Amino acid sequence: MSTFVLVPGFWIGAWAWDEVAAPLRAAGHRVYAVSLPGVAERADEVGEFGLEDHVADLTELLLREDLTDVVLVAHSGACAPVGVLADRMPERIRRVVYLDSGPLVDGSALYDLWQPDYQRMAEASVVDGRLPMPSWEYLSEHGASVAGLDEAALARIRARATPHPAGVYRDRLRLTGAGAALPHALVSCSFPLAQVRELIAAGHPYFAGLSGPNWELRELPTGHWPMFSRPADTAAVLAELAAL
């Protein structure tokens, strides 16, 4: 059996993994779904949190619970703190899984990946150091597909979403490369895996590293929010990757 640490992307918390965690736990796995500082039920925490705060929170979880052989899962923007954590504590990680996400390189920030109009929207929308969730229409137009989610599901997610600390996407990653050789996996949901392979072959700076022998590539066709649109299948692909 495996130990999973499930890290949600922007605006959502541990609650987002409920329907993924349940089948994993039913199969005997240990599952730690997290809410990061300043988000979800921790939204009332005071401070302008940055990337290091989120990394420190994940580090504290691994040390407090003495977690080893961890399958560390990053959805969407969680790639930033998860990438840093894997770089700093590779001895505790079995595999890093990017769920409709991907690794960042040393010196980069999530902000760098955003289109200029998205960057301008974000900077104009920040209130008290946190970025509110944009409209579903805006997110869909900028790559965060809502495929597989009906209006009721979208309403439920938005009702629980909370603004995300802006420092997390502004801060730049500092990586030593210590976690680069760990087993990794990409689960592509809103982006066809065939296109991912084309970008890898073309040497795209954010995809070239995925060609290594320590990478597994999987496709789970749905939108950007697979924990809501295909939770049972998300759990199944995570369990499969953990067993490799």
Side-chain angles (χ1 to χ4, degrees):
M1 294 298 101
S2 300
T3 298
F4 291 90
V5 173
L6 308 179
V7 190
F10 280 22
W11 308 297
I12 54 179
W15 61 269
W17 298 105
D18 286 351
E19 292 184 63
V20 175
L24 289 173
R25 290 180 177 130
H29 301 293
R30 286 201 299 169
V31 180
Y32 296 83
V34 304
S35 292
L36 293 168
V39 188
E41 72 274 13
R42 304 179 65 178
D44 290 336
E45 294 179 347
V46 177
E48 293 193 10
F49 299 105
L51 179 57
E52 280 298 324
D53 297 299
H54 283 196
V55 174
D57 198 73
L58 293 172
T59 300
E60 196 273 335
L61 169 66
L62 266 61
L63 294 175
R64 182 183 72 245
E65 301 294 332
D66 193 22
L67 302 183
T68 58
D69 208 28
V70 170
V71 179
L72 183 61
V73 181
H75 169 250
S76 189
C79 61
V82 161
V84 176
L85 180 69
D87 185 73
R88 293 183 185 174
M89 306 185 80
E91 71 283 357
R92 290 180 177 265
I93 310 300
R94 181 198 301 180
R95 180 180 294 277
V96 182
V97 180
Y98 292 98
L99 181 64
D100 218 40
S101 182
L104 296 177
V105 298
D106 179 50
S108 68
L110 279 166
Y111 187 85
D112 300 335
L113 305 181
W114 295 352
Q115 298 169 23
D117 65 317
Y118 196 98
Q119 293 176 340
R120 290 191 294 270
M121 177 281 298
E123 292 309 303
S125 302
V126 169
V127 177
D128 295 330
R130 302 187 190 185
L131 175 65
M133 188 181 203
S135 70
W136 288 119
E137 292 76 15
Y138 193 88
L139 289 171
S140 296
E141 290 168 1
H142 291 79
S145 166
V146 297
L149 298 173
D150 60 20
E151 290 301 319
L154 295 175
R156 286 195 301 271
I157 298 166
R158 181 162 294 279
R160 299 190 70 174
T162 56
H164 204 84
V168 177
Y169 64 75
R170 292 170 175 160
D171 295 347
R172 298 194 173 277
L173 279 71
R174 299 302 173 197
L175 304 174
T176 67
L182 285 169
H184 283 71
L186 169 71
V187 180
S188 188
C189 302
S190 59
F191 203 65
L193 193 54
Q195 288 183 257
V196 173
R197 295 188 188 280
E198 290 175 4
L199 290 166
I200 293 172
H204 188 286
Y206 284 98
F207 289 85
L210 279 64
S211 63
N214 59 323
W215 276 89
E216 295 286 337
L217 305 180
R218 297 291 186 274
E219 189 171 47
L220 182 62
T222 186
H224 185 61
W225 316 85
M227 66 278 282
F228 301 121
S229 58
R230 296 184 63 179
D233 293 327
T234 300
V237 73
L238 294 180
E240 181 227 331
L241 289 166
L244 295 178

